[in-house]
Amino acid sequence: MIGWYIGIILFLLLYSAQSAVIVWIERRLPAKAAAWIVIALAVPVLGFAGYWMIGRSRRVKKGQAVSREYEQAAERLSVCADGPGELGQAGLLEREQLLRVLRVSSGRPVTLGNQVKVLTNGRETFASILEEMNQASHHIHLDYYTIRDDGIGREFLKILTAKAQAGVEVRVLYDGIGSVKLSKRYVRELKRSGVQASCFSPPGTALLNRLLNSRNHSKIAVIDGKVGFVGGINIGDEYLGKDKKLGFWRDTQLRLEGDAVYFLQELFMKDWELAAKERLPVNAGYMPEHDPDEAKQEPVMIVSSGPDRNGEPILETAFAAVKAARTSVYISTPYFIPDESLLAVLGSAAKSGVDVRLIIPGVPDTRFVLWATLSFVERMLEAGVRVYRYQKGFIHAKVMVVDDLLAIVGTANMDMRSFHSNFEQNAVLLDAETVKRLRRDYEQDLLDSRELELESFRQRRKKEKAAEAAARLLSPLL
C-alpha cells in the first residue's frame, strides 16, 4: 500500500515538473501549453518527450538565417511610401496609425510601383505561372509547401527541365512534410536536367533539430525577378478540382509585377540559403531594376512570419486591420483556429456594428481540423459575426477584405500554426480597384455558401459537440 502512495507522489511530482517546464517555455502561448500538459498527463513521460522533440517553440538561430542584406537591397530598389498621403487614398489618410502599425510589424515598406492580378482558381493560376516560366530568360525560383508528381506536377516538370537545359537558372524548394509524398523519381528528373532542387527541413533532420513543428508553408514563384506569385495554391491536381472527395477547389492567388516582387525574391533567397546552404548574390540578375511606369502604381506590402523573425507579423497585421475596420471585415479561411486576441478583436468589431463575416469549408479536407474550427463558431455567432459554410466544393482561399481600405491575400490560414510556427507570406493590398475585385469575389462566395444560425447551431448533436470539444483542446497544435 505504501508503495502505491509513493508511486502516486512520484508521478505527481514528475507531472508537475513537466508541466512547469512546458508553461515556462510556452508562457507566451498559454493555449498551446495547456494542450501539451493534457498530452503529458494522458501519456506520461512520452508526452513530455514528444513535446520536447516536436512541439517546443524554437527560433531559428540568427547565424543560420541570411542577414538583412536581401531586405535592404529590396527596399533600396523599391519606390516606397513614406506616409499615407503618398498612397492617394482619402480613406487611408484618416488611418495613418494603421499604416504605421503595418510598417513596424512587418518590417517592410509599402511598395508603390506594382501591378496586381487576382487569380481565383487553380486553372487560372497554373496557366499564368506556366506562361511566365515559358518566357523565363534568367531564372525560375519556386518555393512550395506541396509539390505533387501528378498531372499538373508533370507539366511543371516538363517546363522546368526544358528551361534548365536551355541555360536558365532553375531552383525548386519543397517542404519535407508538405511534399513528403513527392516521388524520388520526380526529384531525380529535376536534378538530372540541371535544376537545383532542395528539400526544406526533411523530416529526419527536422526531428533532430527540434524543428519538425515549423514548416515552410510557402507558395511562391518568382520569374526573372520581375513577376511573382503568392497565395494559397500549391502544385497538385486537387487545385484543379480533381480530388473526388473535395470536388471544386476555390482558392485565390496573386500575380505581382513590380517592386513587391523584390520582397518575394528576398523571401525565396532566405529560404534557399537556409535549406540549400547557398547564399545567392544580390545582383541585377535576381533583383533587376524596374522601369517606372505610371500604369503600375498599385501599393503592396509583403508580410512574412516564421521562426527566423521576432514577433508574429502576420497575426499583428491581421489584428491591426480588423481593429481599423469601420464598416466591414470579410474573412475566408479553410482553417479557423485563432488565438484569444484575434477572437476578441473580431467579436469586439461585430459588437460595435462592423459587418464581420467568415466563410469556412462546408466539405473539409481534414475532419478533425473542421471540428476544431467549429468549436469557435458559437462564440463568433454570439458576438454577432455572420458565419458561412461554403457549399460549391472546398474553399482554401486565405483572404481578408477590410472596408474598401485594404485586402490581405497569402499563404497564412487563420490558425495558430500559421501565426506562430510556420514560415508564411501574405500580401497586403491597398489599391481601391483590387480591393473591390476581391470584395466581389467574396460576395460570390457568399452566394455559394450557407449561413449558420445561432439557435440551430446550438442544437447540433451531443457527439458533435464532444468531438469539437476534444479538437478544441488540441487546436493549438493543429
Side-chain angles (χ1 to χ4, degrees):
M1 193 68 177
I2 294 176
W4 277 101
Y5 287 136
I6 293 174
I8 292 172
I9 291 171
L10 289 175
F11 171 77
L12 292 175
L13 288 173
L14 178 62
Y15 180 68
S16 297
Q18 292 177 354
S19 300
V21 171
I22 293 173
V23 168
W24 172 253
I25 294 175
E26 302 294 344
R27 57 192 178 276
R28 296 176 64 252
L29 301 173
K32 181 180 176 182
W36 275 107
I37 287 171
V38 169
I39 293 174
L41 178 61
V43 190
V45 182
L46 290 179
F48 183 72
Y51 164 75
W52 200 256
M53 293 300 295
I54 65 174
R56 182 184 174 194
S57 296
R58 187 167 180 264
R59 294 286 176 189
V60 174
K61 293 180 181 179
K62 290 183 180 179
Q64 293 177 278
V66 179
S67 67
R68 275 186 50 81
E69 178 186 1
Y70 295 145
E71 289 181 37
Q72 291 168 346
E75 191 162 345
R76 184 176 64 252
L77 290 165
S78 301
V79 177
C80 303
D82 293 324
E86 295 187 24
L87 300 180
Q89 295 181 354
L92 199 63
L93 289 173
E94 302 173 1
R95 307 187 198 185
E96 186 170 353
Q97 184 178 7
L98 171 61
L99 186 62
R100 190 181 304 117
V101 169
L102 294 176
R103 178 68 172 96
V104 173
S105 297
S106 69
R108 295 187 178 90
V110 175
T111 61
L112 295 177
N114 301 288
Q115 187 173 45
V116 180
K117 183 176 181 180
V118 178
L119 306 168
T120 59
N121 57 54
R123 197 168 301 281
E124 284 184 13
T125 297
F126 294 139
S128 187
I129 296 175
L130 292 172
E131 179 183 2
E132 293 297 336
M133 291 199 308
N134 262 322
Q135 297 175 12
S137 60
H138 183 269
H139 68 269
I140 297 171
H141 288 165
L142 302 185
D143 187 354
Y144 279 85
Y145 178 65
T146 301
I147 299 177
R148 300 198 189 281
D149 186 358
D150 55 16
I152 191 62
R154 285 271 143 186
E155 288 189 45
F156 271 77
L157 178 69
K158 182 179 179 181
I159 294 178
L160 292 172
T161 54
K163 282 295 179 178
Q165 290 168 350
V168 174
E169 295 181 27
V170 181
R171 294 178 178 86
V172 176
L173 189 59
Y174 56 95
D175 185 75
I177 296 296
S179 300
V180 69
K181 294 183 180 180
L182 183 63
S183 70
K184 294 181 180 178
R185 178 188 63 173
Y186 191 99
V187 177
R188 282 198 302 269
E189 289 184 48
L190 284 174
K191 293 182 176 180
R192 191 182 300 128
S193 69
V195 174
Q196 298 180 64
S198 184
C199 180
F200 188 99
S201 196
T205 303
L207 187 63
L208 291 175
N209 292 334
R210 302 196 304 278
L211 286 171
L212 193 64
N213 197 44
S214 297
R215 308 314 314 170
N216 184 9
H217 201 233
S218 302
K219 291 101 179 159
I220 293 175
V222 179
I223 294 88
D224 287 344
K226 298 177 181 178
V227 178
F229 295 84
V230 65
I233 298 178
N234 288 292
I235 300 172
D237 280 349
E238 64 266 39
Y239 296 86
L240 294 169
K242 295 183 179 181
D243 185 301
K244 293 181 180 179
K245 172 190 170 185
L246 299 176
F248 175 75
W249 188 291
R250 169 71 179 92
D251 221 320
T252 300
Q253 197 88 357
L254 300 175
R255 179 192 182 276
L256 303 176
E257 187 174 353
D259 292 347
V261 179
Y262 291 137
F263 293 91
L264 292 182
Q265 184 78 289
E266 167 230 321
L267 291 172
F268 174 86
M269 294 167 94
K270 284 186 173 183
D271 288 348
W272 183 260
E273 200 266 354
L274 192 61
K277 310 305 181 199
E278 178 191 12
R279 172 172 290 201
L280 302 178
V282 177
N283 59 33
Y286 300 119
M287 290 188 173
E289 290 193 27
H290 299 150
D291 294 329
D293 188 336
E294 291 300 322
K296 301 176 183 177
Q297 290 298 312
E298 297 185 40
V300 177
M301 171 185 283
I302 301 298
V303 182
S304 67
S305 285
D308 62 336
R309 299 188 73 88
N310 293 321
E312 285 81 30
I314 284 179
L315 173 59
E316 291 167 13
T317 54
F319 184 95
V322 175
K323 193 175 179 181
R326 296 186 179 181
T327 59
S328 62
V329 176
Y330 291 168
I331 297 172
S332 171
T333 181
Y335 317 118
F336 183 69
I337 307 174
D339 70 356
E340 186 60 33
S341 66
L342 195 57
L343 281 171
V345 77
L346 288 170
S348 178
K351 290 174 183 177
S352 72
V354 175
D355 179 14
V356 182
R357 304 195 188 199
L358 170 67
I359 299 178
I360 58 175
V363 177
D365 61 339
T366 306
R367 187 162 294 278
F368 192 78
V369 177
L370 176 65
W371 290 337
T373 292
L374 293 175
S375 72
F376 294 94
V377 165
E378 189 167 335
R379 176 174 170 181
M380 291 290 91
L381 292 173
E382 289 173 344
V385 176
R386 299 179 68 179
V387 182
Y388 300 77
R389 293 191 65 180
Y390 190 73
Q391 300 297 300
K392 190 176 177 180
F394 178 63
I395 190 162
H396 190 254
K398 306 135 190 325
V399 176
M400 176 188 290
V401 183
V402 177
D403 298 348
D404 291 321
L405 173 68
L406 65 81
I408 301 174
V409 176
T411 70
N413 301 306
M414 282 282 172
D415 65 10
M416 283 183 263
R417 173 168 290 281
S418 286
F419 293 147
H420 303 299
S421 300
N422 287 344
F423 292 85
E424 304 276 4
Q425 311 86 31
N426 283 349
V428 180
L429 309 171
L430 296 158
D431 178 73
E433 291 305 313
T434 300
V435 174
K436 288 178 183 177
R437 161 62 195 275
L438 287 162
R439 178 181 287 273
R440 289 196 299 269
D441 288 349
Y442 193 93
E443 289 168 350
Q444 179 58 54
D445 292 337
L446 288 175
L447 296 176
D448 293 327
S449 302
R450 175 177 60 85
E451 186 171 5
L452 300 179
E453 301 293 339
L454 176 58
E455 291 307 316
S456 60
F457 187 75
R458 283 174 171 165
Q459 300 304 314
R460 63 199 187 283
R461 293 175 294 178
K462 290 183 179 179
K463 67 177 183 179
E464 292 176 344
K465 293 181 180 180
E468 292 167 15
R472 173 70 170 268
L473 195 61
L474 299 177
S475 63
L477 313 182
L478 299 178

